[in-house]
């Protein structure tokens, strides 16, 4: 089994390259969309219930373009090989800061599902909690002690929280269109029905979480948990190809769903790092 996993996972050098490209690619992509004004709908939803909504909305365009330039610049500095190391480190630091700012929105915006009683029933915040893992990846590049634990904690929180939500009707409603549009799932999962299919995915994600805790008690269980995590993120990334609503009129204009899915490429990088580091 271990030999098979070794063949599945990229080498140490391949892992490092994949992590660089995924982190750079996502932030460049998000930056370009902010600069082009393609995120206005999402930004308006975030600002509506922000304590500083009136002030932020007054300067929304400036802030959005400024954020886009910052994301684009940091992503480019990470990606370009010839950039001096001190600038790369500064870029990873900026990415870590952006992750912390994004995570702070969990406290200031309506990310919880009031129909299910609010916290811990998470709605739009599902995309925000992915920034825990992304933060861990940025800290890993900075050589910060504990970065590996942050990545692992992020994976456990994302898979555990979203996995638990799969047992609710709103989450089943949300995931069903993705499943039925995918040739990986639609040929067998339709017969199960919406809620049953969602429950099965939730069980797989929760089992993955249990195996990931093997980092503290069993390396083989942990490795298998990493493989299941990788398979999960590869499957979700495939929805970018099969689910039309991931796009606002086609590539490269991502919808809010597309934003949510694209972040999984960095979570996949975290899985590779945890295996090879």
């Amino acid at each position: 089994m271990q030999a098979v996993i070794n063949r599945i996972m990229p080498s140490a050098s391949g892992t490092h390259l994949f992590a660089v490209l995924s982190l750079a690619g996502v932030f460049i992509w998000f930056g370009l969309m902010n600069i082009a004004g393609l995120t206005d709908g999402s930004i308006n939803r975030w600002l509506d219930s922000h304590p500083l909504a009136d002030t932020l909305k007054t300067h929304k365009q400036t802030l959005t373009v400024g954020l886009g330039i910052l994301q684009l610049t940091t992503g480019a500095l990470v990606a370009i090989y010839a950039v001096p190391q001190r600038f790369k480190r500064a870029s990873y630091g900026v990415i870590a800061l952006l992750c912390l700012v994004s995570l702070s929105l969990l406290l200031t915006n309506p990310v919880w599902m009031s129909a299910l009683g609010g916290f811990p029933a998470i709605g739009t915040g599902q995309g925000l909690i992915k920034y825990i893992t992304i933060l861990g990846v940025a800290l890993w590049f900075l050589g910060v002690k504990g970065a590996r634990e942050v990545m692992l904690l992020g994976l456990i929180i994302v898979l555990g929280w979203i996995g638990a939500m799969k047992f609710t009707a709103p989450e089943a409603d949300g995931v069903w269109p993705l499943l039925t549009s995918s040739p990986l799932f639609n040929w067998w999962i339709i017969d199960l029905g919406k809620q049953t299919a969602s429950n099965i995915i939730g069980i797989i994600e929760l089992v993955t979480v249990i195996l990931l805790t093997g980092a503290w008690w069993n390396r083989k269980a942990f490795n298998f948990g990493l493989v299941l995590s990788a398979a999960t993120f590869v499957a979700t990334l495939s929805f970018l190809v099969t689910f039309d609503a991931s796009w606002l009129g086609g590539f490269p204009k991502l919808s809010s769903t597309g934003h949510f899915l694209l972040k999984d490429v960095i979570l996949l990088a975290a899985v590779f790092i945890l295996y090879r580091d």
Side-chain angles (χ1 to χ4, degrees):
M1 175 63 72
Q2 190 60 47
V4 173
I5 295 176
N6 276 330
R7 285 195 292 269
I8 293 173
M9 296 294 188
S11 65
S13 60
T15 292
H16 187 276
L17 179 60
F18 183 83
V20 167
L21 294 178
S22 62
L23 201 62
V26 167
F27 278 85
I28 289 172
W29 200 332
F30 287 177
L32 289 172
M33 288 196 65
N34 280 324
I35 292 171
L38 298 174
T39 57
D40 281 352
S42 297
I43 289 174
N44 285 334
R45 286 195 297 273
W46 284 114
L47 293 183
D48 281 342
S49 299
H50 197 283
L52 301 176
D54 292 338
T55 301
L56 293 174
K57 282 188 175 181
T58 301
H59 305 285
K60 184 188 72 173
Q61 184 174 2
T62 301
L63 292 171
T64 302
V65 172
L67 174 61
I69 292 172
L70 183 62
Q71 291 171 318
L72 175 60
T73 302
T74 54
L77 290 173
V78 166
I80 299 172
Y81 179 78
V83 170
Q85 193 61 30
R86 64 181 183 277
F87 291 121
K88 286 187 179 291
R89 289 183 60 82
S91 298
Y92 291 126
V94 170
I95 289 173
L97 180 61
L98 290 174
C99 289
L100 291 173
V101 171
S102 297
L103 287 168
S104 73
L105 296 177
L106 287 167
L107 304 175
T108 60
N109 286 275
V111 298
W112 316 105
M113 299 183 71
S114 57
L116 295 177
F119 178 85
I122 195 169
T124 55
Q126 291 184 16
L128 292 177
I129 59 176
K130 292 184 178 183
Y131 280 106
I132 301 173
T133 305
I134 299 172
L135 171 63
V137 174
L139 294 177
W140 179 76
F141 277 110
L142 287 169
V144 175
K145 184 178 180 181
R148 188 176 183 275
E149 286 73 20
V150 174
M151 277 186 276
L152 177 56
L153 178 63
L155 293 177
I156 288 174
I157 289 175
V158 166
L159 291 169
W161 208 331
I162 297 178
M165 284 294 298
K166 290 292 191 299
F167 296 93
T168 67
E171 185 70 12
D173 290 337
V175 76
W176 187 246
L178 280 75
L179 296 174
T180 54
S181 70
S182 170
L184 291 174
F185 297 97
N186 62 13
W187 60 275
W188 62 273
I189 211 161
I190 291 178
D191 293 337
L192 297 176
K194 185 187 302 182
Q195 189 60 61
T196 300
S198 185
N199 291 348
I200 290 173
I201 294 173
I203 290 170
I204 293 172
E205 290 175 337
L206 293 179
V207 168
T208 302
V209 167
I210 293 171
L211 292 171
L212 287 176
T213 65
W216 295 287
W217 52 272
N218 187 287
R219 179 70 196 193
K220 289 183 179 180
F222 177 57
N223 287 344
F224 191 50
L226 290 175
V227 170
L228 287 179
S229 299
T232 297
F233 298 136
V234 169
T236 55
L237 286 167
S238 73
F239 295 142
L240 285 169
V241 177
T242 61
F243 186 55
D244 290 341
S246 298
W247 308 93
L248 296 170
F251 179 85
K253 304 174 183 178
L254 287 171
S255 67
S256 58
T257 300
H259 273 79
F260 174 80
L261 296 172
L262 184 61
K263 293 172 189 172
D264 281 0
V265 72
I266 304 179
L267 272 60
L268 181 59
V271 170
F272 296 155
I273 291 170
L274 288 170
Y275 184 78
R276 291 295 184 187
D277 189 20

